[in-house]
Amino acid sequence: MLTEILSDEQLIDLYTTPGYLVAVDYPKKEVKLHTVDCMLADPISSVGVKPSKARENKTGEFWFSESRKEANSKAEEIAKNKGYTYTICPICNR
Ligand SMILES: [Zn+2]
């Protein structure tokens, strides 16, 4: 099941759940697929995504799924609809 991530806390709580994060960056026009345990998908990390802030500033959106296939489809759909680039994160790709 696909879940929209609306806050940092919600994403932090999912850290130990195996799954995938679709991170959409509006200013960069970029969609990225991460595993939830990637440091770039960790709001606590200085380099990690910040869903609360992105939502507040309307600079992005985030989706979680336990299924890579489902996360991948969502990422492709957003990238296609918005004309964004879609990349699979090179750090956590597996
Ligand atoms: Zn990653």
Side-chain angles (χ1 to χ4, degrees):
M1 197 186 69
L2 206 58
T3 312
E4 185 166 16
I5 304 295
L6 303 171
S7 70
D8 292 5
E9 292 71 25
Q10 200 185 345
L11 186 53
I12 291 162
D13 286 346
L14 286 167
Y15 191 77
T16 53
T17 308
Y20 298 87
L21 180 77
V22 176
V24 187
D25 188 318
Y26 298 160
K28 286 186 182 168
K29 297 187 184 301
E30 194 179 82
V31 184
K32 236 177 194 169
L33 183 73
H34 297 281
T35 55
V36 276
D37 59 357
C38 177
M39 66 174 182
L40 299 180
D42 177 7
I44 297 167
S45 160
S46 60
V47 294
V49 294
K50 308 281 185 287
S52 294
K53 200 154 203 154
R55 184 170 163 78
E56 192 185 303
N57 301 332
K58 297 183 170 63
T59 54
E61 63 186 75
F62 302 87
W63 297 87
F64 170 82
S65 175
E66 288 184 29
S67 151
R68 180 175 176 130
K69 201 175 157 215
E70 189 179 52
N72 193 55
S73 304
K74 182 67 179 175
E76 282 180 348
E77 180 196 313
I78 295 170
K80 195 179 162 213
N81 289 346
K82 293 185 182 284
Y84 287 5
T85 354
Y86 172 40
T87 51
I88 293 166
C89 172
I91 294 172
C92 62
N93 184 23
R94 57 175 188 251

